[in-house]
């Protein structure tokens, strides 16, 4: 019975994690839409909703990719060694 309980506990943890990440992604996307729409309004443009959503999606994708491709910024513990050989380039993994 213990292995089944461990599997169910892991499954529940995964489901909770997916729900939390989905909710955070939705909030970040809504903020990006607000920023793009407000920025376009301040610049004197009146874009359609399609272009606002497309621009917000591109901004969010760029932020996600930038966070994944900068290991020195997202993992500052690797700089403590002092040598240049400890650089962990996650783009090639």
């Amino acid at each position: 019975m213990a292995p089944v309980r461990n599997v169910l506990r892991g499954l529940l943890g995964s489901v909770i994690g997916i729900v939390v990440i989905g909710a955070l992604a939705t909030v970040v996307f809504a903020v990006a839409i607000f920023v793009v729409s407000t920025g376009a309004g301040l610049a004197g443009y009146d874009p359609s909703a399609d272009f606002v959503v497309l621009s917000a999606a591109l901004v969010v994708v760029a932020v996600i990719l930038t966070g994944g491709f900068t290991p020195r910024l997202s993992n500052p513990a690797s700089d403590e060694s002092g040598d240049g050989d400890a650089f962990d380039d996650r783009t090639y993994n």
Side-chain angles (χ1 to χ4, degrees):
M1 192 63 155
V4 174
R5 185 173 292 168
N6 288 338
V7 169
L8 289 176
R9 186 179 304 145
L11 182 63
L12 180 65
S14 296
V15 168
I16 290 172
I18 290 170
V19 168
V20 168
I21 293 297
L24 288 174
T26 303
V27 169
V28 168
F29 188 65
V31 169
I33 287 177
F34 174 74
V35 168
V36 169
S37 178
T38 303
L42 290 174
Y45 294 112
D46 188 25
S48 68
D50 296 339
F51 289 111
V52 171
V53 171
L54 177 64
S55 300
L58 291 175
V59 167
V60 170
V61 166
V63 167
I64 291 170
L65 289 179
T66 302
F69 289 144
T70 54
R72 287 187 188 248
L73 295 177
S74 59
N75 188 10
S78 64
D79 289 339
E80 294 175 2
S81 62
D83 57 16
D85 297 330
F87 181 70
D88 178 26
D89 192 357
R90 287 185 274 166
T91 59
Y92 295 110
N93 289 340

